[in-house]
Amino acid sequence: MEKIRKAYVRTYGCKQNFADSEKIMGLLLTLGYIAVKTPEEADLIIFNTCAVRENAEQRVFGNVGVLKKLKGDNPGLVIILCGCMTQQPHMAEYFKAKFPFLNAIIGTNILTALPGIIGAEAVFPSAEEIKPLREGEFSANVPIMNGCDNFCTYCVVPLVRGREVSRTPEKIIDEIKGLIAENRRDILLLGQNVNSYKPDFMELLHEIDSLDGEFTISYMTSHPKDCKKELIDFIAESRNISRHLHLPVQSGSNRILELMNRGYTREQYIELAEYAKSKIPEISLTTDILVGFPGETYEDFKDTLSLTEEIGFDSAYTFIYSKREGTAAANFADPVPPEEKSKWFRELLEVQGRISERSYLKHIGKSLRVFCTGEGRSNPELLTGKSKQGIIVDFAGSDELRGKFVDVKITKALPWALVGQLTVNK
Ligand code: 5AD
Ligand code: SF4
């Protein structure tokens, strides 16, 4: 009998990359592999890398180095690097020179290159036809577009993922119908800038929202320059669109926003955020903030702090600027020392920490609609789910509630989740 071939895929970075890995694993299944949980068990190891910040790259270097021993013990082992990091020619060269035991370094086009590399002879499906092997039982990530046309001056994404390409609405709707039929009712639409989805993002959301049944559709990432008030109006009226808006602001200083090429001002951003809060009072508003952009002064940073306070984000992903080769900002003067940037960063964390805590407390006493996904987070004896605002909610209940919508009255706020009690059980 032929030996079962085992594949291990490790993913770094954003949800888009995780979705790509689910496709890679889906393709490997059709080529006769099964998925394993550790590199030690595998005949094929794939690292799907991320280039957005230096610390993600450092982790890849460390983890790839460790594979040398596995390859030494098992020369038949196939090791492949792919993803955004290896799409950059200087990185591909570096990997080739430093880790000669790698079998292939592919970049972001792995789905077409993979069968050839592992010697598969079968006719294999196009990327669109591959059914992803999804993590989790009741949720799904659905890429609606790939690439980015914006060229924010700090960001490497347009250089590694290329220009925007949208999937057709028909393909997306078909996929979502299939997911709902599988009872995957927590669905996240993915794109670097979903608001510029072609032909039309709002039309797409409208079609999805009209599908039968109860489900939650969220999406990321929205770009503030392209997120229109009509979209907010539509969400407010929708049945199934998430009440979570992730709207990366990056900076509160108009001078820095302009240097970043973001295409909006502080005032425009605040107006949009306030509009969303007024139209959808239960909305959860989250953001990304970049600290220490080249040329940023403490005055600029204080504008970011004041914006953070003024808006009161439910939570914020905060990053220290990391220089990316090939981007415009890599050529900007960057005189502020790293220790100083770290100090600002800690200040922001502290301010945002207080705001997040306050924002979670406001749910206490309220009843939230929650899609139960199973495994308890704060306590294994509890169930866990996701509210319409995208917040994790833990509650006591029986196992048959998994995969169902329930109403939960919130009794307690943790730093990263809410805890409550079941009220109605439909
Ligand atoms: N350095 C630090 N953070 C970055 N991001 C994008 N590029 C960089 C960079 N060069 C952050 C932005 C973006 C998020 C996904 O990653 O805040 O919104
Ligand atoms: Fe990068 Fe800006 Fe595109 Fe987002 S919108 S992926 S930050 S270039």
Side-chain angles (χ1 to χ4, degrees):
M1 207 176 84
E2 210 179 311
K3 181 174 167 280
I4 295 173
R5 290 184 297 173
K6 299 173 184 164
Y8 171 80
V9 179
R10 178 177 293 173
T11 314
Y12 300 80
C14 66
K15 292 205 187 258
Q16 196 98 22
N17 236 23
F18 277 83
D20 290 348
S21 290
E22 291 180 342
K23 281 251 171 184
I24 294 171
M25 208 49 240
L27 173 62
L28 287 171
L29 287 191
T30 68
L31 300 176
Y33 282 82
I34 60 163
V36 292
K37 296 221 164 355
T38 64
E40 288 75 17
E41 303 164 70
D43 309 300
L44 168 64
I45 297 177
I46 299 179
F47 279 8
N48 188 8
T49 62
C50 168
V52 90
R53 278 174 294 278
E54 197 187 337
N55 51 8
E57 295 193 331
Q58 292 300 343
R59 275 195 298 136
V60 173
F61 290 140
N63 295 159
V64 173
V66 171
L67 298 180
K68 187 173 177 188
K69 176 162 186 324
L70 286 185
K71 182 82 175 188
D73 295 345
N74 172 14
L77 175 66
V78 175
I79 307 178
I80 302 175
L81 291 194
C82 67
C84 293
M85 194 175 175
T86 48
Q87 185 67 28
Q88 309 168 95
H90 74 279
M91 262 314 162
E93 285 308 313
Y94 179 82
F95 276 116
K96 235 179 259 169
K98 176 134 174 109
F99 305 105
F101 59 87
L102 294 171
N103 292 78
I105 299 164
I106 314 187
T108 48
N109 62 341
I110 178 161
L111 291 175
T112 40
L114 185 60
I117 292 170
I118 60 176
E121 282 159 17
V123 181
F124 39 84
S126 70
E128 188 61 71
E129 290 157 37
I130 298 168
K131 189 169 160 44
L133 178 67
R134 300 183 193 276
E135 301 252 327
E137 222 182 317
F138 301 111
S139 49
N141 294 333
V142 176
I144 61 168
M145 60 198 297
N146 189 20
C148 183
D149 291 352
N150 285 303
F151 292 94
C152 300
T153 54
Y154 51 82
C155 185
V156 79
V157 168
L159 307 181
V160 289
R161 285 194 176 261
R163 296 299 75 72
E164 285 172 8
V165 181
S166 297
R167 289 176 70 200
T168 65
E170 295 75 29
K171 292 254 162 57
I172 297 168
I173 300 285
D174 272 357
E175 184 171 355
I176 291 177
K177 280 185 185 161
L179 292 168
I180 294 172
E182 285 173 22
N183 201 31
R184 293 182 187 272
R185 289 170 189 270
D186 168 28
I187 298 172
L188 174 63
L189 308 181
L190 291 175
Q192 304 299 337
N193 176 7
V194 292
N195 302 97
S196 67
Y197 172 81
K198 302 284 180 306
D200 188 77
F201 183 56
M202 209 161 98
E203 192 51 44
L204 177 71
L205 281 186
H206 186 74
E207 272 190 62
I208 301 172
D209 192 47
S210 325
L211 296 175
D212 285 343
E214 185 173 10
F215 50 90
T216 308
I217 294 286
S218 36
Y219 49 87
M220 82 176 9
T221 293
S222 252
H223 195 306
K225 83 175 161 60
D226 298 318
C227 180
K228 301 283 175 267
K229 287 182 175 168
E230 297 81 65
L231 178 69
I232 311 268
D233 294 341
F234 168 70
I235 296 167
E237 299 295 318
S238 73
R239 294 183 307 134
N240 290 315
I241 310 295
S242 165
R243 268 48 176 173
H244 172 204
L245 183 60
H246 183 66
L247 202 58
V249 66
Q250 313 297 359
S251 170
S253 151
N254 280 333
R255 197 179 74 82
I256 296 299
L257 285 173
E258 186 158 359
L259 287 172
M260 287 176 166
N261 189 31
R262 288 292 288 174
Y264 55 85
T265 61
R266 170 193 177 96
E267 292 71 25
Q268 285 165 335
Y269 183 95
I270 292 177
E271 193 189 334
L272 184 63
E274 292 304 332
Y275 187 78
K277 284 200 276 181
S278 70
K279 281 280 168 166
I280 313 171
E282 74 276 24
I283 201 165
S284 164
L285 194 62
T286 61
T287 200
D288 292 347
I289 300 174
L290 228 168
V291 175
F293 183 80
E296 182 172 331
T297 62
Y298 188 64
E299 287 304 306
D300 294 314
F301 172 70
K302 278 206 305 204
D303 287 344
T304 298
L305 276 187
S306 72
L307 177 131
T308 308
E309 303 254 20
E310 187 169 341
I311 295 192
F313 295 107
D314 294 84
S315 68
Y317 298 90
T318 47
F319 309 101
I320 295 184
Y321 168 76
S322 167
K323 179 174 170 177
R324 305 286 72 202
E325 198 167 310
T327 61
N331 302 316
F332 297 176
D334 190 5
V336 175
E339 313 79 64
E340 185 67 12
K341 292 185 182 183
S342 298
K343 219 166 80 191
W344 301 354
F345 184 72
R346 286 195 299 274
E347 203 174 332
L348 175 64
L349 281 187
E350 201 193 297
V351 167
Q352 183 53 45
R354 257 188 287 120
I355 298 171
S356 294
E357 203 173 312
R358 210 168 56 213
S359 114
Y360 268 45
L361 288 174
K362 75 177 179 232
H363 297 289
I364 291 183
K366 298 219 170 99
S367 181
L368 298 183
R369 191 82 177 145
V370 172
F371 181 58
C372 177
T373 48
E375 69 287 353
R377 294 278 193 104
S378 63
N379 172 347
E381 287 176 13
L382 298 180
L383 292 171
T384 203
K386 215 157 145 204
S387 80
K388 291 276 172 187
Q389 296 87 349
I391 301 173
I392 303 286
V393 179
D394 280 1
F395 56 98
S398 60
D399 253 1
E400 72 261 22
L401 294 179
R402 288 161 48 103
K404 296 200 172 117
F405 278 93
V406 293
D407 291 305
V408 178
K409 187 158 183 199
I410 305 305
T411 53
K412 194 165 119 186
L414 304 172
W416 44 269
L418 300 170
V419 182
Q421 280 166 1
L422 219 46
T423 51
V424 187
N425 175 7
K426 279 192 248 174

